[in-house]
Amino acid sequence: MSLPNLKSEALQLFVFGPGRGELVAVRSPPGAWLVVDGCQASKTSYASRLLDHYGARPAIVVLTHPHQDHYLGLQEVIDAATS
């Protein structure tokens, strides 16, 4: 997964899916993160990989609805946010 460098003053929006689940992640300057859904395909949690890549912890985590392609991967995100 190739991810851009973050610009400290810019709002960043990341969208993954559809097809393997969906994920929307928003980074608001200077570094607050919002994660919507988990988007885990097979054993890859795109939300966790995205946050790990940037060394980020989400301030807000949202589950839109309880379908497997949306909630898989969110537990890792919540664990990272609360540890």
Side-chain angles (χ1 to χ4, degrees):
M1 169 168 56
S2 178
L3 295 169
N5 293 327
L6 296 178
K7 296 179 180 174
S8 61
E9 71 285 353
L11 179 76
Q12 303 277 155
L13 175 68
F14 300 87
V15 179
F16 295 84
R20 291 182 262 174
E22 286 75 31
L23 162 67
V24 175
V26 180
R27 183 200 155 266
S28 176
W33 285 81
L34 161 72
V35 173
V36 180
D37 293 333
C39 192
Q40 180 170 331
S42 301
K43 295 183 182 204
T44 301
S45 172
Y46 289 100
S48 291
R49 288 188 61 192
L50 174 74
L51 295 169
D52 287 347
H53 178 80
Y54 292 116
R57 291 177 54 187
I60 301 170
V61 179
V62 177
L63 174 63
T64 58
H65 60 283
H67 288 164
Q68 187 175 15
D69 61 335
H70 291 261
Y71 71 73
L72 284 178
L74 273 183
Q75 187 62 53
E76 293 172 22
V77 173
I78 292 167
D79 289 345
T82 57
S83 62

